[in-house]
Amino acid sequence: MQVAGYILAARLDERIEIGMDKQYPWKRTQELEVDLTDLMRKLCGKWKQAAACALACAVALGGCGWLKAAGSKEAERLDSQEGLELTVEEERAVLDAVQLAKENSSLEAYLDHSVLMQVDAYHKEKFLMLYSIDHAKRQELPKITESYLNFIGNGGAAADLKKAGGSWAKVDRSYLAELITAYQKTYSSPYQVVVDGPADSSLLSESLFYVEVTGKDAESAQQMSLDMQKVLEGYSAKVKKQAGSHKLALVSCVESVAIDSGLQAQQHDKKAQLSANQANLEAMTGAFTKAQMVQYRDAADVEAKEEETEDIGGSAGFGTVIKYMVLGFAAGIFLYGGMFVCRYLFSDLVKSAEEMKRLYVFPFYGDIPMQGCGAKGSAKKSGKRMPAVQQGQLLMRIRLFCKAHGITSFYAVSDFSFEGQEKKCLESIAEQLKGSGVDMAIVENMGMDTAMWDGLVETGNVLVVCRFGTTTHRMVDDAMGFYLESGISVMGAAAFSDGRC
């Protein structure tokens, strides 16, 4: 113990004699040199954090670019409105274009959602139901018959069908009404019977009418015919109260598949009308002045507004957003790199083994590897031989130093609390040193454990345990000052190299 103390004292005296640092004799120099290799290695190790920062900046600046493009478009629109007045003819042309745009929008919606417009006119599926009205007075029969025809032909049946729910609940009432028709054959008109028959009003008479339902396919047509029968049965009670007593009966129901040339012509006309309207609207807006186009977009419907939004997000706006996102990504990388470099340069942390060797006089035995400590054979299981080699070199250097200076016991002291496997690593080293006749005691957070100071002074030998990224130069200087004042010999230092700094 005394020999080791004399060796350190001799080294310090030599440092003082050659005019080096007199305030901190355990230091070679007060000036910290920047290890660019270590700096770049640690910066590259933080690529995930740098990527996250770059993405955040890219999203932020991309949003700013979109707002800038939108603001430019709005400013352009407002500037174009100022000082521009339209003539009566120009305003009338704008109103005509707006009206035509609304008509096109309604026609497009009709073609997209109308079931009748989607029916195959060359293979039209329909059900034809024949109903009879009997046990009705002659003078009441026309009224009763027209009540049913009016209910079916003018949307009443479609409304009740929609209220009934099922597959028709989501279909618009006007589209349902197109699929239901009712009519009478001319020869079955009750009016002819009334004219030709006797004048006795107490005689009962009957009438016939047809109900035709059309479906997109045979299954939907059949289902609608069944639902219509229920609707007419429910409506019959109202007619009896309002128009007169009678009996409604379903005579027959026939499924039919036919070619409907009228429906074919209707579908063709609607599509041709839409194409013509779109061409006319394009021609009208193409001849507009800048002022007319601004007023048209302000007065047009949602689709015109969407067109303006697409202009904002078009090639120019999209290019602006992409440019800002690229700049943001690059700025994020430089920002994180600058922050990391500043933290590295201005931090007082002990950063690497090379820095320890270059800055301090006392020996540095090497890194204490985190891998391979604890359970036996863990290094072999992990497939990494480097931690075992590092640990072997560390043990050999400590053994040789202790053997050369006759040291049989010392304290491994840290100014921080151990985490994870760190204490197990030191215990493993202590166990191996014990086999060589050297007793190593472990003390963590020495500043708080004052009860160990007496034992430390009695032993007189200390191995300083650091942690890169946690231990600071100030902590090392304070510890060295305390040890020298207390007459404790510092054997050297070792550090945990967990890569966090």
Side-chain angles (χ1 to χ4, degrees), residues 68-131:
K68 181 179 179 181
S72 300
K73 192 70 179 180
E74 182 66 17
E76 179 182 352
R77 186 183 69 83
L78 294 176
D79 291 342
S80 62
Q81 285 182 332
E82 295 180 358
L84 297 178
E85 295 183 359
L86 302 180
T87 62
V88 176
E89 291 77 9
E90 290 175 338
E91 288 184 357
R92 185 179 296 111
V94 171
L95 294 178
D96 292 341
V98 171
Q99 183 64 32
L100 186 57
K102 293 181 179 179
E103 182 180 343
N104 288 349
S105 178
S106 300
L107 188 55
E108 286 178 357
Y110 173 71
L111 291 175
D112 290 338
H113 299 98
S114 173
V115 179
L116 190 63
M117 291 295 103
Q118 298 173 14
V119 170
D120 184 2
Y122 295 96
H123 197 269
K124 181 180 177 182
E125 299 280 356
K126 63 180 181 178
F127 271 76
L128 194 63
M129 296 175 285
L130 175 61
Y131 277 93

Side-chain angles (χ1 to χ4, degrees), residues 42-60:
K42 292 177 178 177
L43 179 59
C44 292
K46 299 292 184 180
W47 66 270
K48 292 183 180 179
Q49 292 85 340
C53 181
L55 288 176
C57 291
V59 172

Side-chain angles (χ1 to χ4, degrees), residues 218-230:
E219 183 180 355
S220 61
Q222 182 180 12
Q223 183 62 44
M224 182 176 288
S225 68
L226 296 175
D227 294 339
M228 272 299 300
Q229 294 174 25
K230 296 178 183 178

Side-chain angles (χ1 to χ4, degrees), residues 445-498:
N445 204 359
M446 184 63 183
M448 302 296 296
D449 193 1
T450 57
M452 299 296 297
W453 288 6
D454 293 338
L456 184 62
V457 173
E458 182 180 350
T459 302
N461 295 308
V462 169
L463 174 68
V464 178
V465 179
C466 305
R467 184 198 289 151
F468 296 142
T470 300
T471 303
T472 64
H473 298 99
R474 178 64 179 272
M475 293 167 64
V476 175
D477 293 339
D478 292 343
M480 289 298 300
F482 170 76
Y483 296 145
L484 290 182
E485 291 175 359
S486 303
I488 300 174
S489 174
V490 178
M491 295 171 48
F496 287 107
S497 55
D498 57 358

Side-chain angles (χ1 to χ4, degrees), residues 322-370:
I322 293 298
K323 180 178 70 174
Y324 273 77
M325 290 186 69
V326 171
L327 291 176
F329 191 86
I333 294 178
F334 282 109
L335 176 63
Y336 183 84
M339 294 172 60
F340 185 87
V341 170
C342 290
R343 179 179 179 273
Y344 185 92
L345 294 178
F346 296 106
S347 173
D348 190 42
L349 296 173
V350 178
K351 303 176 181 66
S352 65
E354 290 74 12
E355 183 181 286
M356 292 286 293
K357 297 175 182 178
R358 186 173 59 250
L359 187 61
Y360 296 104
V361 174
F362 51 78
F364 181 75
Y365 298 105
D367 298 344
I368 306 174
M370 290 297 296

